[in-house]
Amino acid sequence: LMPHVEILKPVYDELAEELVNWFEPGVFKCEPTDEDGHRIKAVVVNPYACTMSRNYMRNPILKESIKMSRIPNHFIFSVESVGMMEPAVIVAEALKVLKEKCERVSGLADDALAMGE
């Protein structure tokens, strides 16, 4: 499932640097800012790189500032091939088979409903 990382409360300066260092490279980055006299601010750059590490929860301020979850209908997978077929062809063929099976189940369900009437 695709990670979803959200900053609920702004994270500034030393705390922003700490947050960037606790997560996998590329999830957060520090950007210059002049908000309320702060130097830098943490922003989410690439939630895909997140492995759902909970290290930030050691710090009570960060625990209240960051929310991590997963997007329930977004799946990440890879297909590898050692044969003649390219991974994209394998996925396309698998989707055709899945579509045929879904149509068959749908037809059986329609038949069952028709018998019950």
Side-chain angles (χ1 to χ4, degrees):
L1 298 175
M2 175 75 165
H4 178 71
V5 182
E6 186 178 356
I7 298 177
L8 302 174
K9 298 176 185 174
V11 179
Y12 297 108
D13 301 326
E14 290 79 22
L15 208 52
E17 291 172 350
E18 189 175 329
L19 180 65
V20 169
N21 291 328
W22 268 347
F23 272 84
E24 295 77 19
V27 177
F28 291 96
K29 80 173 187 177
C30 292
E31 289 188 344
T33 187
D34 59 356
E35 295 176 26
D36 300 323
H38 296 287
R39 297 178 298 110
I40 55 175
K41 178 180 180 178
V43 294
V44 179
V45 179
N46 182 12
Y48 179 75
C50 182
T51 61
M52 304 300 285
S53 169
R54 304 280 185 202
N55 288 336
Y56 74 94
M57 293 185 130
R58 295 179 190 171
N59 184 312
I61 297 170
L62 291 178
K63 185 177 180 179
E64 299 296 320
S65 302
I66 306 299
K67 179 182 176 188
M68 288 187 0
S69 60
R70 294 198 180 266
I71 301 172
N73 58 353
H74 187 123
F75 298 94
I76 302 168
F77 66 94
S78 62
V79 176
E80 296 180 13
S81 173
V82 294
M84 292 178 54
M85 294 177 71
E86 293 292 320
V89 174
I90 293 172
V91 171
E93 292 299 317
L95 290 174
K96 286 179 191 174
V97 171
L98 180 61
K99 180 181 176 186
E100 290 169 5
K101 288 183 178 187
C102 289
E103 288 170 350
R104 183 167 178 241
V105 168
S106 178
L108 291 171
D110 290 342
D111 292 346
L113 284 174
M115 281 189 204
E117 291 178 356

